Amino acid sequence: MFDFLKKVSPAAYLFAGSAVISLVAMIIAAVSCSSEGFGMKELPIVIVLSVAALICGAAIVFASGKFGDGIVSTVLVVAMTLATIFCVYAMITGKSDVFGTVLFSDLEKGYAPAERACNLGIASIVVYLIAAVLTAAGGFFKLAKTDK
């Protein structure tokens, strides 16, 4: 176990952290849809993509420790980045009606459930963006330690 962890560079832990951050964003997204009538039909897609990002993060750590840098790790990095970016897209698409009525008009202004759904939707999008940026940035580093 410890020999395996010695082979993994700190960048691999960045992917694991990004996977956990996307899991937190998924929880925030689910809570934002729990208000009365402010759900979104894209939530199952967001959940599936978040779980896919979590699995990719774990697979990146495993693949980088087992196989080192290679095509497998690269494909997993790209898949994880795309999964988190598509989560951002799905959240923006799903919450656009709430954003429109709360932020850009006075239709739902002052209505607490609508404002809560809007604010939590924005928070989820921001957290997904952080996860996507961390994942994309981690792709520029070596995933396996080089033996000297």
Side-chain angles (χ1 to χ4, degrees):
M1 172 82 176
F2 292 112
D3 290 335
F4 174 77
L5 294 177
K6 289 179 184 177
K7 295 179 187 177
V8 177
S9 76
Y13 294 113
L14 181 71
F15 290 108
S18 178
V20 171
I21 290 172
S22 69
L23 182 66
V24 169
M26 180 191 71
I27 293 169
I28 295 170
V31 171
S32 77
C33 294
S34 65
S35 297
E36 53 188 61
F38 295 104
M40 60 181 208
K41 65 180 180 183
E42 291 86 356
L43 186 61
I45 295 167
V46 170
I47 291 172
V48 167
L49 289 173
S50 296
V51 170
L54 185 67
I55 291 170
C56 284
I60 289 168
V61 172
F62 176 76
S64 64
K66 192 77 169 170
F67 308 116
D69 288 332
I71 190 73
V72 175
S73 299
T74 303
V75 168
L76 289 170
V77 168
V78 170
M80 186 174 176
T81 304
L82 288 175
T84 53
I85 290 296
F86 284 136
C87 284
V88 171
Y89 171 74
M91 284 300 297
I92 290 172
T93 304
K95 290 292 183 180
S96 63
D97 58 340
V98 175
F99 295 155
T101 57
V102 173
L103 297 177
F104 303 114
S105 72
D106 290 333
L107 294 174
E108 300 280 350
K109 203 122 188 128
Y111 184 55
E115 288 182 350
R116 180 175 171 264
C118 177
N119 293 336
L120 287 174
I122 292 171
S124 176
I125 291 168
V126 168
V127 175
Y128 273 124
L129 281 173
I130 291 169
V133 168
L134 286 176
T135 304
F140 291 100
F141 300 105
K142 292 219 174 273
L143 296 174
K145 289 184 181 175
T146 56
D147 295 331
K148 291 183 180 181

